[in-house]
Amino acid sequence: MNAGKIVKEVKWTILVSLLVSLALLVTWFIFEISDIPFANKSLLALSLISSSAALASFLKLLKIKKDPNVMVSETDERLVAEKNEADSKALKLLQSVLFLSYLGYTFIIPEDIFRSTGWWISLGTLLLSLFAPLMFRRITKEM
């Protein structure tokens, strides 16, 4: 893979992430000033997510410029397999934490079952984490 092409892609990622972050921040600020009821903190939080993605891409760019041989780690099959295995173990750990939080919420506050938004969110997130790998595997096999 050409290092120049990857550097260009990372720069575009940084630019797009910063533009999205700025647009969300400006939208939140306009809503906050004009007292529109939609002015909750979710737009501010979304702008922080996209700015952190830009920061991560910037750090990747610095790493590539410092040592262009780091590109081997992205294309070497053994290293990619190792990374995929680590990602799989992290997903299993997160699924366990989600399951424990769902059970904890269910048993600690039983009167909120089926009525509380938090209970439905924890159930939905748990089910999504369980079924998403199967759906992605099926989608990638069909392509």
Side-chain angles (χ1 to χ4, degrees), residues 34-81:
S34 60
D35 291 330
I36 295 176
F38 187 69
N40 55 9
K41 303 279 190 253
S42 61
L43 291 173
L44 182 61
L46 288 173
S47 73
L48 291 175
I49 291 171
S50 59
S51 64
S52 64
L55 178 63
S57 296
F58 178 72
L59 293 175
K60 180 180 178 181
L61 180 66
L62 288 179
K63 188 176 177 183
I64 291 171
K65 285 189 175 185
K66 182 180 176 186
D67 185 18
N69 293 331
V70 79
M71 297 314 299
V72 172
S73 68
E74 292 185 1
T75 57
D76 186 18
E77 290 179 20
R78 293 170 295 175
L79 296 174
V80 169

Side-chain angles (χ1 to χ4, degrees), residues 105 109-120:
Y105 196 103
I109 312 170
E111 62 271 1
D112 277 355
I113 297 175
F114 299 116
R115 287 187 293 176
S116 173
T117 307
W119 186 84
W120 283 106

Side-chain angles (χ1 to χ4, degrees), residues 18-142:
L18 286 176
L19 287 176
V20 168
S21 176
L22 186 65
L24 288 168
L25 189 65
V26 167
T27 305
W28 171 78
F29 187 71
I30 290 171
F31 283 171
E32 190 71 26
I33 287 178
S34 60
D35 291 330
I36 295 176
F38 187 69
N40 55 9
K41 303 279 190 253
S42 61
L43 291 173
L44 182 61
L46 288 173
S47 73
L48 291 175
I49 291 171
S50 59
S51 64
S52 64
L55 178 63
S57 296
F58 178 72
L59 293 175
K60 180 180 178 181
L61 180 66
L62 288 179
K63 188 176 177 183
I64 291 171
K65 285 189 175 185
K66 182 180 176 186
D67 185 18
N69 293 331
V70 79
M71 297 314 299
V72 172
S73 68
E74 292 185 1
T75 57
D76 186 18
E77 290 179 20
R78 293 170 295 175
L79 296 174
V80 169
E82 222 174 82
K83 181 181 176 285
N84 289 342
E85 185 178 342
D87 289 345
S88 173
K89 287 180 181 178
L91 176 65
K92 290 294 180 191
L93 178 68
L94 286 174
Q95 285 175 342
S96 302
V97 168
L98 283 169
F99 181 69
L100 290 175
S101 66
Y102 166 73
L103 282 180
Y105 196 103
T106 301
F107 289 119
I108 291 172
I109 312 170
E111 62 271 1
D112 277 355
I113 297 175
F114 299 116
R115 287 187 293 176
S116 173
T117 307
W119 186 84
W120 283 106
I121 289 173
S122 64
L123 175 65
T125 308
L126 173 65
L127 293 176
L128 180 67
S129 74
L130 292 174
F131 293 117
L134 299 172
M135 291 186 294
F136 287 136
R137 214 175 299 136
R138 182 178 172 112
I139 289 169
T140 55
K141 282 183 182 178
E142 290 177 358

